[in-house]
PDB file of all heavy atoms in Angstrom:
ATOM      1  N   ASP A 147      96.992  95.902 100.101  1.00  0.00           N
ATOM      2  CA  ASP A 147      97.318  96.797  98.947  1.00  0.00           C
ATOM      3  C   ASP A 147      96.430  98.015  99.009  1.00  0.00           C
ATOM      4  O   ASP A 147      95.205  97.991  99.048  1.00  0.00           O
ATOM      5  CB  ASP A 147      97.018  96.069  97.640  1.00  0.00           C
ATOM      6  CG  ASP A 147      97.573  96.792  96.445  1.00  0.00           C
ATOM      7  OD1 ASP A 147      97.000  97.904  96.166  1.00  0.00           O
ATOM      8  OD2 ASP A 147      98.422  96.274  95.715  1.00  0.00           O
ATOM      9  N   PRO A 148      97.097  99.185  98.990  1.00  0.00           N
ATOM     10  CA  PRO A 148      96.290 100.496  99.080  1.00  0.00           C
ATOM     11  C   PRO A 148      95.313 100.680  97.974  1.00  0.00           C
ATOM     12  O   PRO A 148      94.301 101.320  98.178  1.00  0.00           O
ATOM     13  CB  PRO A 148      97.381 101.551  99.092  1.00  0.00           C
ATOM     14  CG  PRO A 148      98.689 100.893  98.912  1.00  0.00           C
ATOM     15  CD  PRO A 148      98.535  99.480  98.860  1.00  0.00           C
ATOM     16  N   MET A 149      95.504 100.042  96.832  1.00  0.00           N
ATOM     17  CA  MET A 149      94.572 100.204  95.749  1.00  0.00           C
ATOM     18  C   MET A 149      93.200  99.594  96.028  1.00  0.00           C
ATOM     19  O   MET A 149      92.193 100.037  95.580  1.00  0.00           O
ATOM     20  CB  MET A 149      95.167  99.630  94.463  1.00  0.00           C
ATOM     21  CG  MET A 149      94.343  99.913  93.216  1.00  0.00           C
ATOM     22  SD  MET A 149      95.209  99.531  91.723  1.00  0.00           S
ATOM     23  CE  MET A 149      94.879  97.818  91.519  1.00  0.00           C
ATOM     24  N   ILE A 150      93.214  98.533  96.810  1.00  0.00           N
ATOM     25  CA  ILE A 150      91.913  97.827  97.122  1.00  0.00           C
ATOM     26  C   ILE A 150      91.498  97.854  98.597  1.00  0.00           C
ATOM     27  O   ILE A 150      90.479  97.276  98.923  1.00  0.00           O
ATOM     28  CB  ILE A 150      91.987  96.392  96.574  1.00  0.00           C
ATOM     29  CG1 ILE A 150      93.030  95.587  97.320  1.00  0.00           C
ATOM     30  CG2 ILE A 150      92.123  96.356  95.045  1.00  0.00           C
ATOM     31  CD1 ILE A 150      92.946  94.068  97.103  1.00  0.00           C
ATOM     32  N   ALA A 151      92.344  98.342  99.483  1.00  0.00           N
ATOM     33  CA  ALA A 151      92.186  98.191 100.928  1.00  0.00           C
ATOM     34  C   ALA A 151      90.733  98.554 101.387  1.00  0.00           C
ATOM     35  O   ALA A 151      90.182  97.858 102.175  1.00  0.00           O
ATOM     36  CB  ALA A 151      93.249  99.036 101.667  1.00  0.00           C
ATOM     37  N   VAL A 152      90.181  99.666 100.814  1.00  0.00           N
ATOM     38  CA  VAL A 152      88.847 100.031 101.297  1.00  0.00           C
ATOM     39  C   VAL A 152      87.743  99.131 100.782  1.00  0.00           C
ATOM     40  O   VAL A 152      86.686  99.110 101.316  1.00  0.00           O
ATOM     41  CB  VAL A 152      88.542 101.543 100.931  1.00  0.00           C
ATOM     42  CG1 VAL A 152      89.491 102.512 101.600  1.00  0.00           C
ATOM     43  CG2 VAL A 152      88.467 101.719  99.475  1.00  0.00           C
ATOM     44  N   HIS A 153      88.054  98.343  99.775  1.00  0.00           N
ATOM     45  CA  HIS A 153      87.058  97.462  99.167  1.00  0.00           C
ATOM     46  C   HIS A 153      87.136  96.036  99.683  1.00  0.00           C
ATOM     47  O   HIS A 153      86.165  95.247  99.511  1.00  0.00           O
ATOM     48  CB  HIS A 153      87.234  97.437  97.642  1.00  0.00           C
ATOM     49  CG  HIS A 153      87.130  98.736  97.037  1.00  0.00           C
ATOM     50  ND1 HIS A 153      85.974  99.470  96.854  1.00  0.00           N
ATOM     51  CD2 HIS A 153      88.081  99.576  96.442  1.00  0.00           C
ATOM     52  CE1 HIS A 153      86.160 100.660  96.252  1.00  0.00           C
ATOM     53  NE2 HIS A 153      87.456 100.727  96.047  1.00  0.00           N
ATOM     54  N   VAL A 154      88.239  95.676 100.333  1.00  0.00           N
ATOM     55  CA  VAL A 154      88.455  94.312 100.701  1.00  0.00           C
ATOM     56  C   VAL A 154      87.394  93.790 101.674  1.00  0.00           C
ATOM     57  O   VAL A 154      86.733  92.792 101.379  1.00  0.00           O
ATOM     58  CB  VAL A 154      89.867  94.112 101.324  1.00  0.00           C
ATOM     59  CG1 VAL A 154      89.977  92.748 101.999  1.00  0.00           C
ATOM     60  CG2 VAL A 154      90.944  94.276 100.223  1.00  0.00           C
ATOM     61  N   ARG A 155      87.155  94.489 102.742  1.00  0.00           N
ATOM     62  CA  ARG A 155      86.230  94.012 103.759  1.00  0.00           C
ATOM     63  C   ARG A 155      84.800  93.875 103.187  1.00  0.00           C
ATOM     64  O   ARG A 155      84.150  92.800 103.383  1.00  0.00           O
ATOM     65  CB  ARG A 155      86.251  94.887 105.048  1.00  0.00           C
ATOM     66  CG  ARG A 155      85.306  94.357 106.112  1.00  0.00           C
ATOM     67  CD  ARG A 155      85.613  94.932 107.473  1.00  0.00           C
ATOM     68  NE  ARG A 155      86.823  94.484 108.050  1.00  0.00           N
ATOM     69  CZ  ARG A 155      86.992  93.310 108.638  1.00  0.00           C
ATOM     70  NH1 ARG A 155      86.001  92.486 108.694  1.00  0.00           N
ATOM     71  NH2 ARG A 155      88.120  92.975 109.135  1.00  0.00           N
ATOM     72  N   PRO A 156      84.226  94.891 102.502  1.00  0.00           N
ATOM     73  CA  PRO A 156      82.898  94.672 101.997  1.00  0.00           C
ATOM     74  C   PRO A 156      82.766  93.543 100.960  1.00  0.00           C
ATOM     75  O   PRO A 156      81.785  92.768 101.029  1.00  0.00           O
ATOM     76  CB  PRO A 156      82.520  96.013 101.335  1.00  0.00           C
ATOM     77  CG  PRO A 156      83.541  96.993 101.671  1.00  0.00           C
ATOM     78  CD  PRO A 156      84.724  96.251 102.318  1.00  0.00           C
TER      79      PRO A 156
END
Side-chain angles (χ1 to χ4, degrees):
D147 186 298
M149 187 167 86
I150 63 167
V152 298
H153 302 287
V154 169
R155 183 164 290 282

